């Protein structure tokens, strides 16, 4: 059985423009970090200290803006999951921080909360990823707190929970929050999102990413206009 043909990368042009150039996305990113800041302060106040607490955050399109490589891949007619282009970006790219990221993570650091950067970036480029995060001035960028591709994210989060209570998860795709979202159909993701509705905006903060996700090959559902009489 053959897989259905993939949509051409050029079909993502409007999504990449929105993600890279719109003021609305920047506003949404600021809004996410503003909400995360409220939740962070409340959790630390309730605990009396940041000791033993952790924030788990994805990196790409949650902390780092990688839209330049998205645009690069699209102009070459490549899919972003072409590993060689992405690996080169991990090593040599120059992403920048999302608005609000620096203030949030430095606040978590000052409050004594442990930060774990949990990403599916390639382990072979771990030193490059650490260098990128460090260059951008993020705190607690230590090898044992930068957990990259290998075991599923659910297992990496479970490892964090052995010694910490996770008070916030930050990410741009649903499997950044719970293992139940990994490897299921789009319809199942919708149902699971409904099942976990009480987590969103509380300890799960979802960042907008219009240019990449498990929904990318889904077929659109156009309006069927009534035929003229």
């Amino acid at each position: 059985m053959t897989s259905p043909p993939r949509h051409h990368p050029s079909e993502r042009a409007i999504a990449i423009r929105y993600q890279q150039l719109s003021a609305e996305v920047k506003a949404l990113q600021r809004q996410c970090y503003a909400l995360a800041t409220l939740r962070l302060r409340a959790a630390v106040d309730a605990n009396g200290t940041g000791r033993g607490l952790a924030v788990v955050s994805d990196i790409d399109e949650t902390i780092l803006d990688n839209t330049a490589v998205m645009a690069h891949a699209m102009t070459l007619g490549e899919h972003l999951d072409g590993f060689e282009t992405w690996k080169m970006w991990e090593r040599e790219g120059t992403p920048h921080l999302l608005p609000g990221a620096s203030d949030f993570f430095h606040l978590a650091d000052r409050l004594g909360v442990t930060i774990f950067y949990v990403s599916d970036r390639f382990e072979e480029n771990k030193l490059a990823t650490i260098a990128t995060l460090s260059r951008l001035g993020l705190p607690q960028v230590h090898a044992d707190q930068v957990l990259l591709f290998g075991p599923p994210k659910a297992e990496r989060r479970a490892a964090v929970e052995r010694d910490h209570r996770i008070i916030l998860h930050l990410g741009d795709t649903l499997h950044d929050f719970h293992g139940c979202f990994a490897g299921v159909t789009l319809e199942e993701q919708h149902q699971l999102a409904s099942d976990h509705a009480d987590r969103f905006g509380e300890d799960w903060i979802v960042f907008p990413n219009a240019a990449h996700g498990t929904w990318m090959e889904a077929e659109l559902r156009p309006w069927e206009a009534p035929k003229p009489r």
Side-chain angles (χ1 to χ4, degrees):
M1 182 177 178
T2 59
S3 300
R6 301 183 70 183
H7 296 296
H8 192 274
S10 64
E11 293 186 35
R12 301 204 308 277
I14 193 168
I16 294 172
R17 283 193 176 91
Y18 178 77
Q19 192 71 25
Q20 184 179 68
L21 302 174
S22 74
E24 287 83 358
V25 159
K26 300 300 183 288
L28 287 169
Q29 291 162 346
R30 289 186 173 94
Q31 181 173 271
C32 286
Y33 276 117
L35 179 55
T37 297
L38 292 174
R39 299 294 182 245
L40 171 67
R41 289 188 181 278
V44 172
D45 287 348
N47 195 55
T49 175
R51 185 178 179 85
L53 305 182
V55 169
V56 169
S57 180
D58 180 45
I59 294 176
D60 298 305
E61 274 48 67
T62 302
I63 299 174
L64 301 184
D65 183 325
N66 300 288
T67 52
V69 74
M70 296 179 189
H72 169 81
M74 188 196 70
T75 57
L76 295 179
E78 296 179 357
H79 291 278
L80 190 58
D81 56 7
F83 288 158
E84 293 312 310
T85 297
W86 180 256
K87 285 181 178 180
M88 182 169 64
W89 173 256
E90 288 184 353
R91 295 190 304 269
E92 302 176 29
T94 53
H96 57 269
L97 292 175
L98 268 58
S102 180
D103 288 346
F104 172 79
F105 287 104
H106 280 285
L107 174 62
D109 185 52
R110 290 196 303 274
L111 292 174
V113 175
T114 306
I115 301 164
F116 288 91
Y117 302 96
V118 180
S119 166
D120 279 345
R121 283 180 162 233
F122 287 95
E123 180 71 21
E124 68 193 69
N125 291 331
K126 184 166 183 171
L127 290 179
T129 292
I130 288 173
T132 295
L133 297 175
S134 298
R135 173 180 62 81
L136 293 169
L138 291 167
Q140 301 186 33
V141 182
H142 310 304
D144 60 346
Q145 289 171 243
V146 179
L147 309 179
L148 303 184
F149 185 70
K153 283 191 174 184
E155 292 184 20
R156 283 172 271 166
R157 290 190 294 267
V160 171
E161 289 181 313
R162 285 199 286 267
D163 298 307
H164 300 81
R165 178 165 65 88
I166 300 174
I167 56 171
L168 277 174
H169 299 77
L170 280 62
D172 68 304
T173 188
L174 290 174
H175 77 271
D176 291 332
F177 302 94
H178 196 289
C180 68
F181 292 105
V184 300
T185 67
L186 190 56
E187 289 73 17
E188 289 169 324
Q189 288 182 42
H190 280 287
Q191 182 57 54
L192 288 165
S194 178
D195 294 344
H196 291 279
D198 60 330
R199 306 289 297 274
F200 298 110
E202 292 296 330
D203 59 325
W204 293 0
I205 308 296
V206 185
F207 285 74
N209 185 356
H212 188 72
T214 56
W215 41 265
M216 289 172 61
E217 299 301 319
E219 294 297 329
L220 293 173
R221 300 170 182 170
W223 177 48
E224 294 184 5
K227 295 179 180 179
R229 295 180 180 179

